[in-house]
Amino acid sequence: MADRGVDVSALPKEVRDQLAELDLELSEGDITQKGYEKKRTKLLAPYFIHSPDHNLQKYLNLKTQHCVECVLLSVYADIHTEAVQAALAKHKEEKMALPMPTKRRSTYVQSPIQARTPPDSSSGSEDETSARRQSAVVAPPPSANSNLQSPDSWINRSVQGSSTSSSASSTLSHGEEWMTALLTLSSITSPAAPSGNNAPPPDVTAGAPPSRGSRVDLPSNAVVRGMSRGQSRSSMMETADGVPVSSRVSTKIQQLLNTLKRPKRPPLSEFFTDDSEEIVEVPQPDPNTPKPEGRQIIPVKGEPLGVVSNWPPALQAALARWGATQGKSPALTALDITGRVLYTLTYGKLWSRSVKLAYTLLNKLGTKNEQILKPGDRVALVYPNSDPGMFWVSFYGCLLAEVIPVPIEVPLSRKDAGISQVGFLLGSCGVGLALTSEICLKGLPKTPTGEILQFKGWPRLKWVVTDSKYLTKPSKDWQPHIPTANTDPAYIEYKASKDSTVVGVAVSKVAMLTHCQALTQACNYCEGETLVNVLDFKKDMGLWHGVLTAVMNRIHTISVPYAVMKACPLSWVQRVHIHKGSVSSCDAFLNVFQSHGLKPEVICPCATSPEAMTVAIRRPGVLGTPLPARAILSMGGLSHGVIRVNTEDKNSALTVQDVGHVMPGALMCIVKPDGPPQLCKTDEIGEIIINSRAGGTMYYNLPGVTKNTFEVIPVNANGVPIGEIPFVRSGLLGFVGPGSLIFVVGKIEGLLMVSGRRHNADDLVATALAVEPVKTVYRGRIAVFSVTVFYDERVVIVAEQRPDASEEDSFQWMSRVLQAIDSIHQVGLYCLALVPANTLPKTPLGGIHISDTKQFFLDGNLHPCNILMCPHTCVTNLPKPRQKQPVGVGPASVMVGNLVAGKRIAQAAGRDLGMIEDQDLVRKHQYLTEALHWRAQTDPDHVLYVLLNAKGVTVSTASCVQLHKRAEKIAAALTEKGSINTGENVVLLYPPGIDLIAAFYGCLYAGCVPVNVRPPHPQNLAATLPTVRMIIDVSKAACILTTQNLMRTLRSKEAAASVNIKTWPMIIDTDDLPRRRPPQIYKPPTAEMIAYLDFSVSTTGMLTGVKISHAAVSALCRSVKLQCELYSSRQIAICLDPYCGLGFVLWCLASVYSGHQSILIPPFELESCSSLWLSTLSQYRIRDTFCSYSVMELCIKGLGTQTDLLKARGVNLSCVRSCVVIAEERPRLALTHSFSKLFKDVGLSSRAVSTAFGSRVNLAICLQGTTGPDPCTVYVDMKSLRHDRLRLVERGAPQSLPLMESGKILPGVRVIIVNPETRGPLGDSHLGEIWVNSPHNASGYYTIYGEESLQADHFNTKLSFGDPQTLWARTGYLGFVKRTELLEASGDRHDALFVVGSLDETLELRGLRYHPTDIETSVSRAHRSIAESAVFTWTNLLVVVSELCGSEQDALDLVPLITNVVLEEHHLIVGVVVIVDPGVIPINSRGEKQRMHLRDSFLADQLDPIYVAYNM
């Protein structure tokens, strides 16, 4: 000790401050041990006294016992640090290469100001953290340590290597830290171990994603349908395994896969065969599990409680006696923050002030007639830890007034950890009055008007100040009533339980007195002794010894506030009360102070709990007695609850020290901690239960939980009670050793039950602390808890990270902690998170508030700066993967099987297209050109189209004759200007409007094949122009028809940056064409000729063009006309993109065929005026309208809060009969429901909204129409769906998925559900591919390669059995058909078609089929900050990309929440979680996510993610 001859408390303040600063530097690792010693010696040199410190010697040679409380004596001895070292060395040989998470540089960059150590925000007097800076590492002078500093000693070592007691955990109270801080602290700062092959990540390449505003169709790098479905979708993946050569992301994924290839602990048993048995994998019991073998335990009795003649009849009587006879005798000395004496309270003063307070409480509060307090009422005591005198007076004043004191912590703010739970305690105890000191009252948080804040969950309190000047002296004849101690409650001690509820343990007057007597006998207290108390005097040991037993024995208590330790550790040397002592700490303390005369036999650990009070205590030893007992136990045995002496693997040994014998007058048993209180066997670990007069009596006002804890009657192995005496559960786990010595190994609260094995949170903390925390962990602050995910507990470790810790150091520390805990405890960690320093919620004494931390973790409010999830390692109870059965069953058997089971073949059909009455009309309508020509002649002025702008004003209209003439002009231009030949392809490049319609008919008049293409977005040419170029190239277009504006764009410099503008085909601007007529209107020789090409980018990034024949156009228009009852006098409104699919058909073709008027609303106009579409519906009294999902989303987002405004403007949607959403996907039920619900207030019928369904092979399969039953919704079981089975369940059933019918099947359309592998028809209880047969099927893919095999496979395919004649087209979508109870117009029962998802998009994982949208729905629900998400797979890893709409500090909170929700709801482990900015997930014009494009961007490192987490 450098300062051996110096009394630090006597040093000048500035020197003490410099010493404290130096200690802080050492604890934070900013200075080496050697440098610390040097600087300290220099500082103290002028003050050296070269004789030994007699004062210290005198104190330490006192006969007094050192009462060391040891609630949690589950402690590693010297072996532990070596164990961690050995475990890590073993892993180092394996060269674990964990991929490091990728973090965007902008996230969490600390400014130089922030980079300094943050101030400790815990309450000054009771902050625990400073003494834990060394992670409870206790070290001797450097000479003893020099042999430990090997180059790669990256583990904190200490005296004899015993650095890590599990009690150095987040739950450590300040008592042990006193002892820790008293010693010279040493931190070995040394280089980090080699980091495997982790290279620090270079900056992420910044590819600016397209803004969400412009929805873009992005084909995945030019893949054209016509290459088979199975071929590669991306030309950038050039390596053999499909990994882009330069991609950093995929090398990390490869690293992750290599890590995951290591086998999990429980190997998977044989494969899953039974489809219906989809439950959690239950691990088979291991035959080698150790089982208890001893006999049943016999209750252990403490020695009888002696009767001493002068023991008082009640504790108040003792105070009265000493107040009267020993008034000058000191009762309490309080020290200030520097360690100087603040005041001394004599027994006389304590008595007189307590009597004054009792008189005031009973007589002076309220009016004369009505007293506020009466005996038996509960009052809160709110005093800071720096003011023991006021607390003593209040406590004894309450006892004398016979009111029940409830001591609580001082509330500092409305956001204190656990503040509402304290409110629950005050409420359950019926507290309405709080006693406090004047200074404390001034410090309480106030409202602006000066009133004390109403804390969350607290009852209304009246505050009473107890300073002497406010108390009334009683009249001479008034004396407090002091009855003999009885079973009425004396005081209530608060206790926070594992689930964070705070309850009050009531202690009766007789229990309080008996406990004091038992402690006096056990600790051999004598009258007039001196006792130093460094514990919290409001509860537990600090209250029992330092306030109650001390007064009974007229002991002089010196109360040391916690903050003294920072400035002056040596002010406490007389008696040590250590709150959770530990072997290593006790040993280290002894090692340092033995040379000063400290004797081993005076250190007395004990075990306590609020319910049972003191359970056991080691009696103060007589000189020369044998040393305390030790047990070296196997941690494997402990995890199974049995005691086995550790022999084989010294790495997983736990050394525990006894806590002495049972208390005098008590009876103790050990019972099983769960289930009925069955007595344990002698070699079994269980909960300690106690029968004694000196224990708690109940949880105040909570009779239900009281019965389970305070009235336990143990039973034997047969379940028969062993007597009638009730025992109290102590909440401590332990066993009885030889000689009836009690050993405690943990607390029930710190128990984590993982896969049927018990692990102690404090043991895990100790292991984590043994792994080089100096560089990473801030002041050793680590919390361990478990969360329930997927039917088991999962271990989570959260630590505070030092402000100066580097990413690499933190990641290294995290991966080492994983390895150490895996080796030593044989348990996998689920999540390891590092949060910024001082951000975890604190307990009043500065420790970590575990339950609040857990709640923050589950709510996504933890804001970690580093996180590592390891679900692959620790989730071992997933269902077995399904192995698909070989198809060995013949078609006939399937048919017979279905018939026997009563299942019908899943097929359905729309009504018959039939020949309608006016045959002439049908013949005329064989070609649309003829229909238009006929309409121009018969009804020339009938307006077919009305185009609106953002203000709702008509910008142009087209009557039959106007459209016919404009088409003629364009046809003439094509033949003259473009000299286009019949049958050549012409690209139409127009914004949504009437020009597009005229150009389409112009092409038909000229005999060309129109190819409609979405124009490039002028603000985003780089992303949108290549798609235009690709379609032009693929379709071999001979000419482009467009507007002047777009022609300029195509030839602009900006366009030249993205594509080669010199090679465009001829461009004809159709804005100002001369009035010419073509020589004749072309009539195709046969209706099978191609009318137009329909190009679209699918969600999988596939660019697909299909050929639509004239016959198909005619049949489709007729089908839609019949379904929607369209005729000339009708008006419909269309708010859709008119570029492909059914949207194009409704915009350009249907009106010409049926003669109805179409009001056209371009969807982009809604971005500037969200109410445009709905106002139009109301203004024109529209009955039928067609829109897309993106239009619905725009309306919900833009008008969500404006329905009242719409009402005020007179918008009324009661006229709308059908509002059909046009899509090529599963109906988005949540969106349509939200839309209906939102606009119900403006008259929209809940039955109006429905959906349509089309695909590439058939543009319109279903459309709700105006007649027929409403669309129905069913709930299906998701587990069955993954097996391609169908099981209907009730609404609200667990794992249920609501699905809405995709509209009524159109006239002339037949669908059948087919097994995509066997191509045989399926029964209606199966999910299969939807095949369609209809006169308006597309004729085939437009391909330049002429690949006939794919053509035949998708367009002209036959069933393998059943009906081998019919030709079907494969839609590529999975769905099912259900016969409903509803009736068709014909009177037959209605068959509904349900679309589940695209076959190309499904994810095959663990042998099951998943639909991305289901996983995405779950992910989006996980946290309020997730705007949108998309999932895809890469090499069997599930990748989740989520857009973050909150602040970037929420980014890492999403990782565990996403992992949890996918595991819980889909039984899948997420491999990679990518957090990106809003708008990064590409969405096509139909509002569908382009997941494959996203995948390619991710693998090519073009997303600029905020954070990428690779789950282990």
Side-chain angles (χ1 to χ4, degrees):
M1 304 285 289
D3 49 5
R4 197 168 287 174
V6 180
D7 177 6
V8 179
S9 58
L11 294 174
K13 185 173 184 306
E14 61 272 16
V15 177
R16 287 203 307 271
D17 288 349
Q18 282 172 297
L19 284 174
E21 203 168 315
L22 200 58
D23 283 344
L24 186 64
E25 273 182 50
L26 173 69
S27 71
E28 310 250 332
D30 298 332
I31 187 171
T32 62
Q33 179 69 36
K34 200 170 172 185
Y36 168 83
E37 294 289 347
K38 205 169 170 182
K39 280 192 175 178
R40 190 178 172 94
T41 312
K42 194 174 172 185
L43 268 174
L44 295 175
Y47 307 96
F48 266 162
I49 304 162
H50 292 289
S51 64
D53 182 345
H54 296 297
N55 206 21
L56 177 67
Q57 204 68 33
K58 182 180 72 187
Y59 278 149
L60 286 175
N61 282 330
L62 284 172
K63 149 183 164 293
T64 56
Q65 323 75 10
H66 288 242
C67 182
V68 179
E69 184 203 348
C70 187
V71 175
L72 260 187
L73 226 156
S74 71
V75 178
Y76 295 104
D78 316 352
I79 294 171
H80 191 66
T81 319
E82 295 162 27
V84 172
Q85 240 180 316
L88 290 169
K90 196 169 80 187
H91 277 279
K92 207 188 287 182
E93 289 160 22
E94 291 175 25
K95 280 272 189 270
M96 284 277 283
L98 305 183
M100 208 172 137
T102 309
K103 194 183 284 187
R104 185 189 283 169
R105 292 282 177 245
S106 64
T107 316
Y108 313 111
V109 174
Q110 287 186 316
S111 66
I113 297 162
Q114 293 169 315
R116 295 185 200 139
T117 309
D120 197 341
S121 58
S122 60
S123 50
S125 64
E126 59 260 87
D127 120 23
E128 235 191 69
T129 52
S130 63
R132 190 169 333 115
R133 288 174 198 152
Q134 300 319 312
S135 344
V137 173
V138 182
S143 57
N145 216 4
S146 54
N147 63 335
L148 290 177
Q149 290 188 321
S150 60
D152 64 343
S153 67
W154 41 263
I155 294 178
N156 248 359
R157 308 187 181 151
S158 67
V159 190
Q160 321 257 315
S162 61
S163 69
T164 57
S165 77
S166 61
S167 40
S169 75
S170 48
T171 52
L172 198 67
S173 96
H174 58 287
E176 176 165 347
E177 307 193 8
W178 279 98
M179 181 166 66
T180 309
L182 258 177
L183 312 172
T184 312
L185 297 161
S186 103
S187 304
I188 301 166
T189 50
S190 61
S195 59
N197 53 7
N198 282 355
D203 269 341
V204 180
T205 52
S211 70
R212 179 60 52 80
S214 58
R215 300 245 161 126
V216 181
D217 289 307
L218 297 165
S220 196
N221 288 28
V223 181
V224 181
R225 177 75 88 181
M227 304 175 183
S228 78
R229 259 183 201 176
Q231 286 174 6
S232 160
R233 297 201 178 100
S234 169
S235 59
M236 81 167 100
M237 299 182 186
E238 283 146 13
T239 52
D241 57 353
V243 180
V245 186
S246 62
S247 167
R248 179 164 58 85
V249 174
S250 34
T251 50
K252 287 203 171 175
I253 292 179
Q254 205 47 55
Q255 238 179 321
L256 177 57
L257 285 171
N258 296 342
T259 312
L260 298 179
K261 276 174 191 162
R262 294 186 179 80
K264 287 184 203 171
R265 208 162 292 103
L268 286 164
S269 41
E270 74 290 338
F271 273 115
F272 190 48
T273 49
D274 185 358
D275 283 0
S276 63
E277 196 66 31
E278 217 271 17
I279 44 170
V280 180
E281 167 78 355
V282 181
Q284 295 306 308
D286 181 359
N288 303 322
T289 303
K291 292 194 170 53
E293 295 153 4
R295 56 177 173 74
Q296 185 175 293
I297 193 168
I298 299 163
V300 182
K301 241 186 168 135
E303 73 261 34
L305 187 57
V307 179
V308 179
S309 54
N310 64 350
W311 270 355
L315 195 58
Q316 306 92 300
L319 177 60
R321 175 183 164 192
W322 304 131
T325 62
Q326 301 279 350
K328 296 251 168 75
S329 173
L332 166 73
T333 298
L335 303 186
D336 70 4
I337 198 160
T338 62
R340 292 212 174 93
V341 171
L342 201 57
Y343 55 78
T344 296
L345 192 66
T346 61
Y347 275 97
K349 278 269 190 290
L350 177 61
W351 167 249
S352 62
R353 287 183 189 173
S354 303
V355 169
K356 270 168 85 174
L357 178 62
Y359 178 74
T360 306
L361 290 177
L362 291 176
N363 300 297
K364 293 297 173 187
L365 303 179
T367 60
K368 271 190 178 171
N369 305 333
E370 187 195 0
Q371 275 307 309
I372 289 180
L373 275 185
K374 45 190 189 303
D377 286 350
R378 277 77 52 211
V379 293
L381 268 49
V382 185
Y383 293 94
N385 282 14
S386 54
D387 195 357
M390 294 294 273
F391 175 81
W392 280 45
V393 168
S394 293
F395 192 88
Y396 281 106
C398 289
L399 292 186
L400 290 171
E402 293 186 88
V403 297
I404 302 169
V406 185
I408 58 169
E409 304 301 338
V410 179
L412 298 172
S413 75
R414 195 172 255 172
K415 289 187 176 168
D416 281 4
I419 187 102
S420 55
Q421 282 85 3
V422 176
F424 172 76
L425 164 78
L426 297 175
S428 66
C429 294
V431 173
L433 194 77
L435 306 187
T436 188
S437 65
E438 190 169 26
I439 295 174
C440 183
L441 190 75
K442 282 179 181 165
L444 289 176
K446 310 269 193 316
T447 62
T449 57
E451 291 173 22
I452 290 167
L453 266 183
Q454 180 63 30
F455 297 106
K456 186 180 170 191
W458 282 38
R460 289 216 164 271
L461 292 181
K462 181 176 164 56
W463 294 82
V464 176
V465 175
T466 61
D467 293 56
S468 289
K469 57 185 175 186
Y470 299 109
L471 303 180
T472 313
K473 197 170 179 184
S475 54
K476 288 201 174 142
D477 57 342
W478 190 85
Q479 280 298 323
H481 173 56
I482 302 178
T484 304
N486 56 18
T487 54
D488 295 342
Y491 70 94
I492 292 172
E493 182 171 315
Y494 78 83
K495 181 230 172 172
S497 57
K498 187 176 183 179
D499 60 354
S500 83
T501 49
V502 176
V503 291
V505 177
V507 178
S508 69
K509 293 170 182 171
V510 71
M512 174 170 76
L513 184 67
T514 313
H515 190 227
C516 291
Q517 293 167 351
L519 286 177
T520 304
Q521 181 175 326
C523 298
N524 196 8
Y525 285 133
C526 303
E527 192 184 320
E529 284 189 315
T530 307
L531 177 148
V532 177
N533 181 20
V534 299
L535 293 179
D536 182 0
F537 49 73
K538 297 194 288 294
K539 59 189 289 245
D540 214 79
M541 295 284 289
L543 176 66
W544 306 333
H545 288 260
V547 180
L548 307 179
T549 309
V551 166
M552 193 175 96
N553 292 296
R554 194 176 64 80
I555 286 174
H556 175 198
T557 301
I558 297 172
S559 185
V560 186
Y562 181 69
V564 172
M565 277 306 290
K566 289 180 176 174
C568 179
L570 281 179
S571 60
W572 166 68
V573 284
Q574 198 173 359
R575 182 166 295 149
V576 189
H577 282 308
I578 291 196
H579 186 56
K580 294 174 185 143
S582 65
V583 177
S584 53
S585 300
C586 294
D587 289 356
F589 184 70
L590 190 59
N591 279 340
V592 172
F593 284 102
Q594 212 157 3
S595 58
H596 295 273
L598 177 69
K599 301 184 180 61
E601 59 272 9
V602 301
I603 293 182
C604 308
C606 72
T608 70
S609 82
E611 292 86 355
M613 299 171 78
T614 308
V615 171
I617 190 162
R618 192 186 301 156
R619 312 298 190 258
V622 184
L623 291 175
T625 49
L627 278 173
R630 304 263 177 118
I632 298 176
L633 305 177
S634 145
M635 289 187 82
L638 281 179
S639 74
H640 293 290
V642 297
I643 302 157
R644 291 289 178 269
V645 176
N646 184 278
T647 47
E648 62 287 336
D649 180 9
K650 69 169 192 170
N651 281 358
S652 55
L654 178 74
T655 302
V656 287
Q657 210 181 76
D658 72 277
V659 290
H661 292 90
V662 185
M663 287 295 281
L667 187 64
M668 172 193 281
C669 293
I670 311 277
V671 296
K672 292 187 186 291
D674 28 32
Q678 188 185 330
L679 286 173
C680 289
K681 296 185 173 168
T682 47
D683 60 343
E684 195 172 1
I685 285 169
E687 183 177 8
I688 297 172
I689 57 170
I690 292 283
N691 167 263
S692 161
R693 285 175 66 206
T697 48
M698 61 175 165
Y699 291 129
Y700 195 86
N701 234 351
L702 300 168
V705 278
T706 293
K707 195 164 178 58
N708 297 341
T709 304
F710 293 91
E711 298 166 27
V712 174
I713 297 188
V715 297
N716 62 18
N718 303 324
V720 181
I722 59 161
E724 291 175 4
I725 333 172
F727 282 74
V728 176
R729 287 185 183 273
S730 68
L732 301 176
L733 294 169
F735 61 94
V736 180
S740 295
L741 284 172
I742 310 300
F743 290 83
V744 174
V745 297
K747 282 201 288 195
I748 294 267
E749 281 178 13
L751 205 59
L752 312 176
M753 283 293 283
V754 182
S755 305
R757 290 176 59 198
R758 304 177 193 166
H759 300 278
N760 194 316
D762 291 328
D763 296 349
L764 296 173
V765 169
T767 302
L769 281 173
V771 181
E772 194 196 18
V774 141
K775 281 186 182 173
T776 310
V777 181
Y778 179 67
R779 298 185 171 181
R781 290 172 63 77
I782 298 180
V784 174
F785 51 86
S786 65
V787 293
T788 308
V789 184
F790 194 61
Y791 311 107
D792 200 357
E793 294 293 304
R794 313 286 175 198
V795 183
V796 178
I797 295 188
V798 182
E800 288 190 358
Q801 177 177 303
R802 290 172 49 118
D804 54 351
S806 71
E807 291 285 315
E808 280 76 13
D809 284 347
S810 302
F811 191 70
Q812 283 300 323
W813 181 78
M814 288 159 88
S815 38
R816 285 186 186 139
V817 167
L818 286 183
Q819 296 160 5
I821 286 178
D822 188 73
S823 291
I824 290 170
H825 302 272
Q826 276 88 52
V827 64
L829 285 189
Y830 181 65
C831 176
L832 186 48
L834 287 171
V835 299
N838 268 330
T839 55
L840 288 180
K842 291 184 177 172
T843 59
L845 294 177
I848 297 173
H849 197 289
I850 302 287
S851 55
D852 271 25
T853 303
K854 175 175 173 174
Q855 203 50 53
F856 281 7
F857 174 80
L858 293 172
D859 295 345
N861 290 331
L862 206 53
H863 307 323
C865 44
N866 268 306
I867 198 159
L868 187 57
M869 299 284 301
C870 311
H872 288 99
T873 327
C874 70
V875 178
T876 53
N877 61 334
L878 283 173
K880 298 171 197 163
R882 168 187 176 211
Q883 194 176 40
K884 295 219 172 150
Q885 298 304 306
V887 185
V889 181
S893 320
V894 174
M895 297 291 279
V896 171
N898 279 331
L899 288 168
V900 170
K903 292 176 192 161
R904 41 190 298 279
I905 292 295
Q907 57 185 343
R911 57 192 167 138
D912 197 13
L913 204 49
M915 290 309 275
I916 44 179
E917 298 73 54
D918 46 356
Q919 290 291 333
D920 297 345
L921 194 65
V922 175
R923 273 201 289 280
K924 282 201 179 70
H925 285 48
Q926 187 169 14
Y927 301 112
L928 271 184
T929 46
E930 293 176 342
L932 179 57
H933 198 184
W934 174 74
R935 287 197 185 282
Q937 286 170 337
T938 57
D939 194 358
D941 299 326
H942 173 60
V943 177
L944 287 177
Y945 295 103
V946 177
L947 179 70
L948 303 183
N949 67 5
K951 292 179 178 161
V953 177
T954 303
V955 277
S956 68
T957 59
S959 64
C960 301
V961 73
Q962 285 169 331
L963 187 60
H964 171 65
K965 285 184 174 166
R966 282 171 76 174
E968 282 189 327
K969 277 202 297 189
I970 290 167
L974 278 171
T975 44
E976 292 168 20
K977 268 195 194 174
S979 51
I980 302 293
N981 299 322
T982 306
E984 284 193 300
N985 297 343
V986 173
V987 162
L988 313 183
L989 207 58
Y990 289 94
I994 296 174
D995 289 348
L996 167 63
I997 304 169
F1000 176 79
Y1001 287 102
C1003 288
L1004 295 189
Y1005 278 10
C1008 320
V1009 177
V1011 181
N1012 193 7
V1013 179
R1014 171 189 300 277
H1017 196 289
Q1019 271 76 55
N1020 200 0
L1021 286 179
T1024 53
L1025 199 56
T1027 310
V1028 175
R1029 177 86 232 191
M1030 195 186 304
I1031 297 176
I1032 290 169
D1033 293 348
V1034 168
S1035 63
K1036 291 273 191 263
C1039 163
I1040 299 172
L1041 293 182
T1042 187
T1043 62
Q1044 270 174 14
N1045 281 342
L1046 279 168
M1047 188 160 89
R1048 278 198 290 276
T1049 304
L1050 290 181
R1051 292 183 169 150
S1052 65
K1053 281 184 189 164
E1054 292 81 6
S1058 310
V1059 296
N1060 182 354
I1061 59 171
K1062 295 194 173 110
T1063 56
W1064 290 123
M1066 181 189 356
I1067 302 176
I1068 299 177
D1069 136 38
T1070 59
D1071 283 358
D1072 300 310
L1073 289 176
R1075 280 197 175 178
R1076 296 257 171 92
R1077 290 177 69 180
Q1080 87 255 11
I1081 292 178
Y1082 174 78
K1083 183 180 177 184
T1086 133
E1088 299 311 315
M1089 298 276 289
I1090 296 178
Y1092 71 97
L1093 297 181
D1094 189 301
F1095 272 92
S1096 158
V1097 178
S1098 75
T1099 49
T1100 50
M1102 189 83 71
L1103 174 67
T1104 320
V1106 289
K1107 300 182 286 195
I1108 310 291
S1109 68
H1110 287 279
V1113 167
S1114 179
L1116 175 54
C1117 289
R1118 184 137 150 263
S1119 202
V1120 170
K1121 177 187 164 97
L1122 286 176
Q1123 191 83 329
C1124 300
E1125 298 180 348
L1126 300 174
Y1127 34 84
S1128 300
S1129 58
R1130 297 284 306 281
Q1131 225 181 8
I1132 65 168
I1134 300 170
C1135 189
L1136 278 172
D1137 272 327
Y1139 296 109
C1140 59
L1142 190 51
F1144 173 73
V1145 171
L1146 290 166
W1147 190 280
C1148 290
L1149 315 182
S1151 274
V1152 169
Y1153 185 92
S1154 308
H1156 59 272
Q1157 187 182 98
S1158 297
I1159 295 172
L1160 308 175
I1161 304 163
F1164 67 80
E1165 301 285 17
L1166 265 68
E1167 287 171 20
S1168 51
C1169 174
S1170 352
S1171 61
L1172 171 64
W1173 173 47
L1174 300 183
S1175 309
T1176 306
L1177 298 182
S1178 171
Q1179 181 188 340
Y1180 288 85
R1181 313 285 304 146
I1182 301 287
R1183 285 174 67 188
D1184 300 295
T1185 181
F1186 299 88
C1187 68
S1188 64
Y1189 284 123
S1190 11
V1191 165
M1192 266 191 178
E1193 278 177 331
L1194 278 171
C1195 288
I1196 289 174
K1197 283 177 187 159
L1199 304 171
T1201 53
Q1202 299 180 19
T1203 45
D1204 292 341
L1205 194 66
L1206 290 177
K1207 253 190 196 162
R1209 282 200 211 143
V1211 172
N1212 182 354
L1213 302 181
S1214 55
C1215 53
V1216 177
R1217 184 175 58 171
S1218 75
C1219 165
V1220 183
V1221 190
I1222 304 299
E1224 293 187 12
E1225 57 178 306
R1226 177 201 298 183
R1228 298 190 204 170
L1229 197 59
L1231 183 63
T1232 53
H1233 271 184
S1234 307
F1235 183 80
S1236 301
K1237 205 167 162 187
L1238 184 61
F1239 297 109
K1240 184 177 71 179
D1241 293 351
V1242 284
L1244 182 68
S1245 158
S1246 58
R1247 301 168 57 184
V1249 180
S1250 61
T1251 61
F1253 170 65
S1255 69
R1256 292 287 71 208
V1257 298
N1258 186 315
L1259 304 183
I1261 296 168
C1262 303
L1263 183 66
Q1264 184 57 31
T1266 48
T1267 55
D1270 289 336
C1272 59
T1273 301
V1274 296
Y1275 291 83
V1276 299
D1277 177 53
M1278 282 171 79
K1279 296 198 292 291
S1280 306
L1281 210 58
R1282 290 172 204 146
H1283 292 271
D1284 292 342
R1285 293 284 175 86
L1286 207 67
R1287 192 161 69 86
L1288 296 190
V1289 291
E1290 291 302 314
R1291 178 181 180 172
Q1295 293 274 322
S1296 64
L1297 172 72
L1299 291 172
M1300 184 162 88
E1301 181 186 357
S1302 296
K1304 299 292 164 288
I1305 296 173
L1306 280 167
V1309 175
R1310 284 172 61 199
V1311 295
I1312 188 163
I1313 305 299
V1314 178
N1315 182 324
E1317 277 91 33
T1318 64
R1319 306 198 175 196
L1322 288 169
D1324 63 2
S1325 61
H1326 283 73
L1327 181 72
E1329 188 178 9
I1330 301 167
W1331 285 17
V1332 58
N1333 166 276
S1334 133
H1336 62 254
N1337 276 6
S1339 315
Y1341 290 129
Y1342 178 81
T1343 165
I1344 41 181
Y1345 310 112
E1347 255 198 35
E1348 297 313 315
S1349 61
L1350 198 66
Q1351 202 80 328
D1353 183 39
H1354 287 185
F1355 289 90
N1356 303 310
T1357 192
K1358 293 179 181 175
L1359 292 172
S1360 56
F1361 58 89
D1363 165 17
Q1365 262 39 67
T1366 314
L1367 287 179
W1368 299 89
R1370 301 178 58 177
T1371 62
Y1373 282 84
L1374 292 171
F1376 59 92
V1377 168
K1378 268 288 164 207
R1379 175 152 281 185
T1380 64
E1381 297 304 312
L1382 305 169
L1383 296 179
E1384 296 279 13
S1386 60
D1388 297 333
R1389 277 171 66 191
H1390 166 61
D1391 288 322
L1393 174 67
F1394 294 86
V1395 176
V1396 177
S1398 159
L1399 187 57
D1400 276 356
E1401 291 243 291
T1402 55
L1403 313 173
E1404 287 267 346
L1405 292 163
R1406 301 179 59 77
L1408 303 171
R1409 199 193 299 279
Y1410 288 86
H1411 298 273
T1413 178
D1414 297 331
I1415 300 175
E1416 287 157 5
T1417 304
S1418 300
V1419 168
S1420 296
R1421 278 203 316 265
H1423 192 270
R1424 61 188 177 281
S1425 295
I1426 298 175
E1428 189 59 90
S1429 58
V1431 302
F1432 53 83
T1433 51
W1434 177 246
T1435 54
N1436 284 336
L1437 280 181
L1438 179 64
V1439 181
V1440 176
V1441 181
S1442 284
E1443 292 181 353
L1444 173 74
C1445 62
S1447 73
E1448 284 195 359
Q1449 69 165 8
D1450 291 347
L1452 279 76
D1453 281 315
L1454 306 184
V1455 177
L1457 296 183
I1458 288 169
T1459 309
N1460 291 358
V1461 77
V1462 176
L1463 187 54
E1464 283 279 10
E1465 296 186 10
H1466 303 279
H1467 311 177
L1468 286 176
I1469 293 177
V1470 178
V1472 184
V1473 179
V1474 188
I1475 310 295
V1476 295
D1477 294 310
V1480 167
I1481 295 172
I1483 287 187
N1484 69 13
S1485 52
R1486 295 187 299 276
E1488 299 160 345
K1489 294 170 196 164
Q1490 292 191 281
R1491 299 178 183 92
M1492 292 306 117
H1493 185 79
L1494 180 69
R1495 185 183 81 164
D1496 297 343
S1497 305
F1498 170 65
L1499 293 170
D1501 253 355
Q1502 291 166 352
L1503 290 184
D1504 184 24
I1506 298 169
Y1507 192 78
V1508 182
Y1510 301 94
N1511 287 348
M1512 298 298 123

